[in-house]
Amino acid sequence: MVDRLVRPLQADDLDSVMTLELKAHAYPWSESIMQSALSRHHCWGVFAGPQLLGFAVFSSVVDEAELLDCVVDPACHSQGLGRFLMGEVLPQVEGFARRVFLEVRESNAPAIALYQSVGFVEVGCREGYYPAPTGREDALLMALEFGGFVFSV
């Protein structure tokens, strides 16, 4: 197995990022949105050699961060890559945030399990948040507190 490396994403990673984004999401971000994210937000990718296998995009305001997009190549699902990526980037996020929020499709059980396994807890629901083939789908709002803080609902 090739060693995995996590590093900050740069503008010249855009093509690889978009390839994964389009493979992984039924409703992907546009190239212009992704280009803006790479220049404005905290973005990390996990690589095996030159190949991008996954990435995470975080925004930050004051002492809070939000996981805006997280993708693992569908060919790599169930191989621990998402957990590896989170294990590498969450300590980086802790350097600038006290807490992290995210939204996840209520139907995305594997992602929910991953986020729970790294310490996220459900703190709310956003009804009709995501587009879905049959209309709209709810999003679970999850949070992770750093530094011993406990998020209470």
Side-chain angles (χ1 to χ4, degrees):
M1 177 179 206
V2 177
D3 286 339
R4 297 183 238 169
L5 166 73
V6 173
R7 68 163 173 79
L9 293 172
Q10 303 165 1
D12 61 355
D13 293 313
L14 180 62
D15 289 343
S16 297
V17 169
M18 284 308 301
T19 297
L20 281 187
E21 178 75 6
L22 294 169
K23 280 169 77 172
H25 292 303
Y27 302 93
W29 285 8
S30 69
E31 187 169 324
S32 63
I33 290 172
M34 191 63 75
Q35 185 174 34
S36 176
L38 289 175
S39 68
R40 295 177 48 218
H41 298 304
H42 305 273
C43 307
W44 291 275
V46 59
F47 292 81
Q51 184 178 0
L52 179 66
L53 302 177
F55 64 87
V57 177
F58 292 84
S59 67
S60 64
V61 175
V62 189
D63 64 349
E64 292 183 347
E66 182 175 1
L67 178 58
L68 301 175
D69 195 5
C70 185
V71 170
V72 170
D73 187 327
C76 298
H77 283 183
S78 299
Q79 296 178 18
L81 195 60
R83 182 187 297 268
F84 174 77
L85 178 60
M86 289 293 107
E88 293 291 311
V89 301
L90 287 174
Q92 301 294 322
V93 174
E94 187 175 10
F96 59 84
R98 286 180 42 163
R99 70 185 55 87
V100 183
F101 293 97
L102 64 83
E103 290 96 10
V104 60
R105 287 180 183 273
E106 188 174 49
S107 64
N108 193 344
I112 294 166
L114 166 66
Y115 297 136
Q116 289 173 334
S117 76
V118 296
F120 282 87
V121 295
E122 184 179 338
V123 296
C125 178
R126 298 186 195 274
E127 293 183 23
Y129 187 80
Y130 288 110
T134 58
R136 304 293 297 179
E137 180 177 356
D138 292 349
L140 298 182
L141 178 61
M142 301 183 82
L144 171 67
E145 294 282 337
F146 294 120
F149 296 101
V150 176
F151 194 91
S152 59
V153 205

